[in-house]
Each structure stands twice: as structure tokens, then as C-alpha cells.
Amino acid sequence: MATTTDFIEYVCEQLNGVGAIRYRKMFGEYTVYVDDKPVVTVCDNTAFVKMLPCIADLMNEAEIGKPYDSAKEHYVLDIDNASFSKQIIEKLVEVTPLPKSKRKAG
């Protein structure tokens, strides 16, 4: 089951206020960027975040899953809890680097 447009837009609405939010379709699913940093992977209408030490204490009771078959395990983000989700995303934005720019061969 692929992620619906309504769900990805809902995810972005729930994160409103944590920074500049945009999403991009990748491989049939989505990545949500905050301040141009990829922090949420959305697959099958489920929001996933990387299992990083900066959020381990807050996410210790979170469900764990894989966004796609070959992925590492991620935390499942309770996106319905907007204030908690924003707290998690703010911590992730602090430690997530900007993606390296891809230069076109000329």
C-alpha cells in the first residue's frame, strides 16, 4: 500500500512550526525535509525516523519497523501526537546534516 497524498500532507501539517517543511516523492514513497534536512521517511502511510541516540530516551516505548524491505530498523513516529512529533523532529534537525549537493557532470 503506497502512501496517500492526504497522509503526507497530514504529516507536514502536524509538523507545522518546526521549520521550513517540504516533502519529496522518492521510489514511490516520501521523504519529509525540515530546513532542507531529510528527517522523516513516510512509507505505507506510516512515519519513520532514524534510530539515533539523541531521541532514544524519548522513543524508548515507540514501535520499531522498517520503512521498506532493505532498510535498517527505524522508530515509528506517532504523528497523531503533534507536540511530541515536533519535539522529536527538533532534536533530529539539530543532528542531521544537509544532504551533499549533487553536481552535474558538464
Side-chain angles (χ1 to χ4, degrees):
M1 172 176 108
T3 298
T4 63
T5 303
D6 288 342
F7 186 77
I8 191 66
E9 290 176 357
Y10 173 71
V11 169
C12 293
E13 287 172 14
Q14 292 294 91
L15 300 178
N16 189 28
V18 297
I21 299 170
R22 66 180 175 91
Y23 62 88
R24 182 173 177 197
K25 193 166 192 169
M26 302 183 74
F27 309 110
E29 294 293 352
Y30 295 89
T31 298
V32 176
Y33 294 81
V34 177
D35 296 333
D36 291 324
K37 297 178 179 184
V39 291
V40 182
T41 301
V42 182
C43 297
D44 295 330
N45 285 346
T46 304
F48 296 91
V49 293
K50 287 185 178 180
M51 297 178 77
L52 297 176
C54 65
I55 60 171
D57 289 345
L58 294 170
M59 297 292 286
N60 63 351
E61 295 183 19
E63 185 180 337
I64 295 173
K66 292 183 177 185
Y68 48 92
D69 288 339
S70 61
K72 294 180 181 179
E73 288 187 331
H74 285 58
Y75 292 122
V76 175
L77 184 63
D78 180 8
I79 199 64
D80 293 327
N81 184 341
S83 61
F84 179 73
S85 294
K86 288 177 185 181
Q87 184 180 3
I88 295 300
I89 298 308
E90 286 170 350
K91 290 188 175 293
L92 291 173
V93 168
E94 289 177 10
V95 300
T96 303
L98 288 168
K100 293 180 182 176
S101 64
K102 297 177 183 175
R103 296 183 186 185
K104 294 182 180 180

